[in-house]
Amino acid sequence: MGSETADPETAPPPGPRPRPGGRTARTRRQVLDAVLAELGEHGYDGLTVEAVATRAGVHRTTVYRRWRDVGGLLADVLDAAGADDWGPPDTGSLEDDLTGLNEEIHDALTARPPVVPALIAASFRSPQAAEAQRRLWDDRYARCEVVIERALARGDLPAGTEARPLLVAATAPLYHQLLLLGAAPDPQLARRAARATALAAAAGAFTGQPAADT
Amino acid sequence: MGSETADPETAPPPGPRPRPGGRTARTRRQVLDAVLAELGEHGYDGLTVEAVATRAGVHRTTVYRRWRDVGGLLADVLDAAGADDWGPPDTGSLEDDLTGLNEEIHDALTARPPVVPALIAASFRSPQAAEAQRRLWDDRYARCEVVIERALARGDLPAGTEARPLLVAATAPLYHQLLLLGAAPDPQLARRAARATALAAAAGAFTGQPAADT
DNA sequence: CCACTAGTGCGACAACTGATGCATTAGGAT
DNA sequence: ATCCTAATGCATCAGTTGTCGCACTAGTGG
């Protein structure tokens, strides 16, 4: 895995690459930028290989050969998006950390042009892109686990509280409301979901061993 | 609205229908059944008008004329799916009601063939289908509000608790885990989400006026 | 500077999608 | 029973999508 992630800037994603020349990297950059631009303008439906190639200034054949289809393009974009140094907020309070996290999600899902929703929606069209999307989310949630660890260290959460279910419970309403239910942007949504989850967590809702309710 | 929803059995969905003859209704039934079957077999991608028409035993042109495109087909299927007498469980306990509701969602999202996930995913491809999906969910959540009303009447929830945010918080983790994150079916998921939400609700997390926490 | 070859551009081609005009069938009314 | 017409079947056609063979450009190493 060491030499695999050597340089995120010049590493071509698919297949063997015996020649990481300057042109290859340049072409990739142009194509991936074109994908994001097309996604923002025409949405999930309008993402055609033809338009991407034209905007990128390359030939259709090149795109088909290197990425095979639209799913390959999206998977590459998603993998590139995950290669950053993002980290969750650190405010000293679980509810505030979750609120900040949710506000980022809220902004991403309601930004114009709607690139993120288009990316998520388009991922349904390709198993390959869906896999990449899943990897990205899994990585993001893993980075967020430190938020729960800090809260545990402060004694704000009962011992045995599991990070993943808590994080999913806190963030899921954002995706559900804005992505699936098509609700209008709501500035209070982020805090409400964060507060509800923090309350439930403090009450022991996310401990592996339930507090015996029968 | 009265004559609009006269008979869900023989009512053709799109446009004017000066002749609700037996053949028209029969064709619609065959086509809608074919859509569900194709959706289950080939998923969101494999849903072509060609295959639907062939399976339904009608000509492609007929499908194109009456439903225009795949989005129209899905919208009609979704509208037909909402015309039932479904209601939420009534167990006498908020947590158990929510758990039962979540178990239905869990089963729907993990059933084989995966018709419901395919239907939701495919709705991203068409604004018309997305609108129909949104209507269906809105109707379902409206029917579920009685669960919160009963809990309020029992005194299990603080006054001012809002039904919609509570229901969304309870059900969103199911959709998020099973649909977006692609997690494996988990029998405990339904109850865990229901319990967390019930705990948060009892603590006043879903009242319009927050309980003053600063 | 020169040879080698991965990567790209280019054109043509097959397959598929969706649209249109006309003939035929079948439901509804006199 | 018979006519009227909405709904369907049928053949055809234009536009688009994805593939293939060939020639050329541009990194890479000598």
Side-chain angles (χ1 to χ4, degrees):
Chain A
M1 192 188 291
S3 61
E4 188 75 17
T5 60
D7 187 1
E9 198 64 51
T10 59
R17 51 190 192 291
R19 182 183 290 190
R23 185 173 61 162
T24 302
R26 195 186 323 136
T27 299
R28 183 197 177 205
R29 155 96 13 144
Q30 289 170 351
V31 170
L32 294 193
D33 287 346
V35 170
L36 288 177
E38 284 293 318
L39 219 47
E41 282 186 14
H42 303 104
Y44 19 92
D45 288 319
L47 189 68
T48 66
V49 174
E50 170 77 34
V52 169
T54 301
R55 181 187 287 262
V58 299
H59 205 262
R60 294 203 306 273
T61 315
T62 300
V63 178
Y64 280 118
R65 267 194 286 248
R66 288 187 57 180
W67 288 274
R68 182 175 179 84
D69 57 8
V70 179
L73 282 172
L74 294 171
D76 199 9
V77 169
L78 288 167
D79 285 336
D84 60 6
D85 58 346
W86 181 89
D90 183 5
T91 64
S93 151
L94 176 61
E95 181 185 324
D96 289 341
D97 282 356
L98 294 176
T99 299
L101 174 62
N102 272 354
E103 282 171 351
E104 286 189 43
I105 295 174
H106 183 279
D107 292 345
L109 292 178
T110 58
R112 296 297 178 84
V115 177
V116 173
L119 212 48
I120 296 172
S123 293
F124 281 106
R125 299 180 61 175
S126 160
Q128 190 181 353
E131 181 76 12
Q133 180 76 59
R134 206 186 58 77
R135 276 200 305 271
L136 177 58
W137 263 322
D138 194 68
D139 177 61
R140 288 293 195 248
Y141 278 116
R143 297 193 203 186
C144 287
E145 288 184 2
V146 65
V147 167
I148 280 76
E149 294 170 8
R150 288 193 298 243
L152 281 168
R154 286 192 302 263
D156 293 345
L157 289 177
T161 296
E162 295 176 354
R164 285 300 173 99
L166 195 162
L167 289 168
V168 170
T171 57
L174 274 292
Y175 290 101
H176 199 54
Q177 286 273 24
L178 300 174
L179 207 63
L180 298 182
L181 300 182
D186 180 4
Q188 298 188 341
L189 198 55
R191 178 163 292 278
R192 296 188 69 159
R195 191 162 62 92
T197 307
L199 281 172
F206 300 104
T207 54
Q209 307 298 331
D213 46 290
T214 310
Chain B
M1 191 189 291
S3 62
E4 188 75 18
T5 60
D7 186 2
E9 197 65 51
T10 58
R17 53 190 191 291
R19 183 184 289 189
R23 185 172 61 161
T24 301
R26 193 185 324 135
T27 298
R28 184 196 177 206
R29 153 99 8 147
Q30 290 170 350
V31 170
L32 293 192
D33 288 346
V35 170
L36 289 177
E38 285 292 319
L39 219 48
E41 283 186 14
H42 303 103
Y44 19 91
D45 288 319
L47 190 68
T48 65
V49 174
E50 169 76 36
V52 169
T54 301
R55 180 187 287 262
V58 299
H59 206 263
R60 293 203 307 272
T61 316
T62 301
V63 178
Y64 281 118
R65 266 194 286 247
R66 288 187 55 178
W67 288 275
R68 183 175 180 84
D69 57 6
V70 179
L73 281 172
L74 294 172
D76 198 10
V77 168
L78 288 166
D79 284 336
D84 59 7
D85 58 347
W86 181 88
D90 184 7
T91 64
S93 151
L94 175 62
E95 181 185 324
D96 289 342
D97 282 357
L98 294 176
T99 299
L101 175 61
N102 272 354
E103 282 171 350
E104 286 189 44
I105 295 174
H106 183 279
D107 291 346
L109 292 178
T110 58
R112 297 295 178 87
V115 177
V116 173
L119 211 49
I120 296 172
S123 294
F124 281 106
R125 299 180 62 175
S126 160
Q128 190 180 353
E131 181 77 11
Q133 181 75 59
R134 205 186 60 75
R135 278 199 304 271
L136 177 59
W137 263 322
D138 195 67
D139 177 61
R140 288 293 195 249
Y141 279 115
R143 298 193 202 186
C144 286
E145 289 183 2
V146 66
V147 167
I148 281 76
E149 293 172 8
R150 289 194 296 245
L152 280 168
R154 286 193 301 264
D156 293 345
L157 288 177
T161 296
E162 295 176 354
R164 284 301 173 100
L166 195 162
L167 289 169
V168 170
T171 57
L174 274 292
Y175 290 101
H176 199 55
Q177 286 273 25
L178 300 175
L179 206 64
L180 298 183
L181 300 182
D186 180 3
Q188 297 188 340
L189 197 55
R191 177 162 293 278
R192 296 188 69 159
R195 191 161 63 93
T197 307
L199 280 172
F206 300 104
T207 54
Q209 307 299 331
D213 46 288
T214 308

